[in-house]
Amino acid sequence: MRKKQSSHNSVETKLEAVRQVLENKRPVAEVASELDLHRDTVNRWVISFKDNGEQGLVNPRSISKPSQSKDIKKTRELEKKIKEKDMEIEILKKFQAFLKGNE
């Protein structure tokens, strides 16, 4: 029997498989066979669930990229503003030291 190559299983499917293994004490190989998956895949889900809970079953590639790129752009803008403010502070410190030196 050929196993699925797709890694696009929903969180609900993964969670159900994990529950079958953990709560119903079913063998990983049996659950994997029913889902037409390799046992290592289901085993990876179980380990990930144990380590990170339901969030561990979310495929990071399924998180929308536009949102990530917006966050990256926003972060870069904020970093640029911080750098500008740091430069302004340095200039003001030097100016203050200059004024104190001329008193």
Side-chain angles (χ1 to χ4, degrees), residues 4-22:
K4 285 184 184 177
Q5 295 296 317
S6 173
S7 62
H8 303 292
N9 291 289
S10 69
V11 173
E12 293 79 17
T13 300
K14 294 176 184 180
L15 192 56
E16 181 56 34
V18 168
R19 285 188 176 137
Q20 289 294 322
V21 172
L22 296 179

Side-chain angles (χ1 to χ4, degrees), residues 50-78:
K50 285 179 180 178
D51 290 345
N52 303 305
E54 195 170 327
Q55 190 62 33
L57 302 177
V58 175
N59 184 344
R61 288 180 272 170
S62 67
I63 298 170
S64 66
K65 302 238 188 254
S67 167
Q68 287 178 338
S69 67
K70 281 183 184 179
D71 290 345
I72 291 169
K73 184 176 179 182
K74 182 80 169 170
T75 300
R76 286 184 183 147
E77 288 173 5
L78 292 173

Side-chain angles (χ1 to χ4, degrees), residues 1 3 28-37 39 42:
M1 176 183 353
K3 301 294 179 194
V28 170
E30 186 178 295
V31 174
S33 178
E34 285 179 8
L35 294 172
D36 196 27
L37 295 167
R39 69 179 185 282
V42 175

